């Protein structure tokens, strides 16, 4: 009887421990309202709200300070650390190696390393929805001139631009593209000025990979295509469509692995794919009924084919250039 009672106590303790939220930290080099990081932050807040994690975060962390902040969160007992190490790859991995019992899930342009089993990588592979948004843009342009403003020409940006361009070209092979990178992840004034120059050069639709581009489109009375987040309600006469990133499948997979004690070095990029629930085309909002039926039909067709595996949007990480 004593043995049975002791066993029950052990089992109950294990269940309580299993139910404990995972102490989780987010480390971001930009404000949490920035498009890309906002999607990670929203998913983490949702996971905290349902009791899976206990979440805290630091924003505007410089690349040179990133390793120190990682170490502080690891020393504070966090068991899952999420963030983006595009500018601090080597330092982040070196610190992660010092804390083998902490799971790291980091946005990265590089792949996982089996020699660092607690460091998994992800990226926003939302080329599926970017391609579909390109179809919409290809149908809406009248000048056959589309401007594209990005932050940096790194793989995660390049692949979305290429997918967008491929969708636009499928809809309208006569389109030419103006492509420019502003050298910053968060500089709305610079992005806006770059967009103004493209409008002066004939663009009548802008691909808004950065904040500030849609503002330029709004001021000049032309259209824009959004990226990562849905800003249609903020620009109801400007933003026609947006490719949305849903980070929830990526984070939820990592949480499940940590809970199971099976977290390992892996590439979580696949959880951003449309057939995993990681991306979607935003609702058209005020543009319902204003998009040509031919484009809508192609979007529906391609969406079904992407979901079934009959059609694959190419992943091209090379730097895009103007036509």
């Amino acid at each position: 009887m004593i043995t049975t009672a002791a066993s029950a106590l052990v089992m109950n303790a294990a269940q309580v421990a299993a139910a404990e939220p995972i102490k989780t930290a987010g480390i971001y080099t930009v404000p949490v309202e920035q498009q890309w990081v906002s999607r990670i932050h929203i998913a983490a807040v949702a996971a905290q709200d349902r009791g899976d994690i206990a979440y805290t975060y630091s924003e505007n962390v410089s690349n040179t300070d990133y390793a120190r902040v990682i170490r502080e969160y690891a020393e504070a007992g966090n068991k899952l650390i999420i963030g983006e190490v595009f500018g601090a790859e080597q330092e982040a991995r070196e610190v992660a190696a010092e804390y083998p019992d902490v799971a790291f899930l980091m946005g990265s342009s590089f792949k996982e390393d089996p020699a660092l089993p607690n460091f998994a990588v992800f990226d926003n592979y939302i080329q599926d929805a970017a391609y579909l948004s390109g179809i919409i843009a290809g149908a809406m342009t009248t000048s056959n001139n589309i401007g594209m403003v990005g932050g940096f020409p790194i793989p995660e940006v390049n692949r979305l631009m290429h997918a967008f361009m491929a969708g636009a070209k499928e809809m309208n092979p006569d389109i030419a593209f103006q492509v420019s990178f502003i050298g910053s992840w968060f500089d709305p004034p610079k992005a806006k000025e770059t967009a103004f120059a493209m409008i002066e050069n004939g663009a009548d639709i802008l691909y808004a990979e950065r904040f500030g581009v849609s503002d330029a489109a709004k001021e000049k009375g032309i259209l824009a295509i959004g990226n990562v987040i849905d800003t249609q309600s903020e620009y109801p006469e400007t933003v026609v469509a947006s490719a949305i990133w849903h980070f929830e499948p990526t984070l939820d997979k990592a949480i499940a692995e940590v809970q199971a004690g099976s977290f390992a070095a892996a590439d979580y990029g696949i959880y951003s794919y449309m057939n995993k629930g990681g991306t979607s085309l935003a609702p058209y909002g005020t543009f319902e009924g204003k998009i040509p039926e031919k484009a809508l039909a192609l979007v529906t067709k391609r969406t079904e084919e992407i979901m079934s595996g009959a059609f694959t949007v190419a992943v091209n990480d090379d730097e895009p250039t103007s036509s």
Side-chain angles (χ1 to χ4, degrees):
M1 191 73 181
I2 294 175
T3 303
T4 302
S7 299
L9 285 172
V10 170
M11 290 178 63
N12 288 339
Q15 289 170 351
V16 169
E20 278 292 308
I22 300 165
K23 193 172 180 181
T24 301
I27 310 174
Y28 312 120
T29 61
V30 293
V32 291
E33 67 261 29
Q34 188 259 11
Q35 299 109 298
W36 196 87
V37 161
S38 74
R39 307 310 294 175
I40 303 172
H41 181 67
I42 288 169
V45 170
Q48 176 170 256
D49 288 346
R50 66 174 184 257
D52 285 346
I53 65 174
Y55 172 60
T56 188
Y57 67 93
S58 294
E59 57 186 335
N60 293 315
V61 176
S62 67
N63 289 330
T64 55
D65 211 24
Y66 209 92
R68 179 190 64 79
V69 178
I70 290 177
R71 186 173 281 107
E72 287 183 354
Y73 276 129
E75 290 288 343
N78 287 279
K79 293 302 180 183
L80 175 61
I81 296 179
I82 58 179
E84 20 91 35
V85 295
F86 297 103
E89 286 279 353
Q90 182 177 345
E91 298 88 344
R93 291 175 188 245
E94 288 173 355
V95 175
E98 299 174 21
Y99 300 94
D101 294 331
V102 179
F104 291 84
L105 178 66
M106 292 294 186
S108 170
S109 293
F110 296 90
K111 296 300 182 182
E112 74 280 11
D113 180 357
L116 189 58
N118 63 324
F119 195 97
V121 298
F122 68 87
D123 210 338
N124 64 327
Y125 283 85
I126 63 170
Q127 66 277 352
D128 297 328
Y131 179 90
L132 300 178
S133 72
I135 292 174
I136 301 298
M140 298 295 282
T141 180
T142 57
S143 68
N144 291 342
N145 187 326
I146 295 178
M148 306 181 69
V149 181
F152 292 93
I154 66 170
E156 67 143 351
V157 175
N158 298 345
R159 73 176 66 108
L160 304 188
M161 285 189 163
H162 278 296
F164 171 85
M165 294 163 82
K169 280 282 192 181
E170 180 175 6
M171 191 71 235
N172 183 348
D174 297 325
I175 291 176
F177 299 95
Q178 301 178 59
V179 180
S180 185
F181 297 92
I182 63 171
S184 172
W185 291 130
F186 196 72
D187 191 343
K190 189 172 183 180
K192 187 176 181 180
E193 288 303 315
T194 302
F196 278 146
M198 291 179 173
I199 296 169
E200 287 293 320
N201 201 34
D204 67 346
I205 292 185
L206 298 174
Y207 177 75
E209 199 270 327
R210 293 292 101 195
F211 276 149
V213 178
S214 293
D215 293 300
K218 180 180 178 180
E219 285 189 26
K220 296 297 184 179
I222 68 167
L223 302 178
I225 300 292
N227 180 58
V228 176
I229 61 175
D230 183 6
T231 58
Q232 218 281 322
S233 62
E234 298 171 46
Y235 303 92
E237 305 305 319
T238 303
V239 175
V240 185
S242 299
I244 307 302
W245 183 29
H246 306 290
F247 189 68
E248 288 78 3
T250 303
L251 180 58
D252 292 351
K253 174 64 174 176
I255 289 170
E257 295 294 338
V258 173
Q259 289 173 334
S262 55
F263 187 89
D267 183 356
Y268 278 60
I270 60 170
Y271 298 103
S272 288
Y273 281 55
M274 184 172 282
N275 61 9
K276 297 289 188 181
T279 187
S280 66
L281 198 60
Y284 302 129
T286 56
F287 283 90
E288 285 283 356
K290 299 177 183 178
I291 300 169
E293 285 297 326
K294 183 179 179 181
L296 295 176
L298 183 56
V299 166
T300 298
K301 179 175 184 289
R302 289 299 186 217
T303 299
E304 292 171 353
E305 292 172 342
I306 289 168
M307 296 298 287
S308 71
F311 181 80
T312 300
V313 177
V315 174
N316 183 349
D317 288 345
D318 296 336
E319 181 176 345
T321 58
S322 299
S323 301

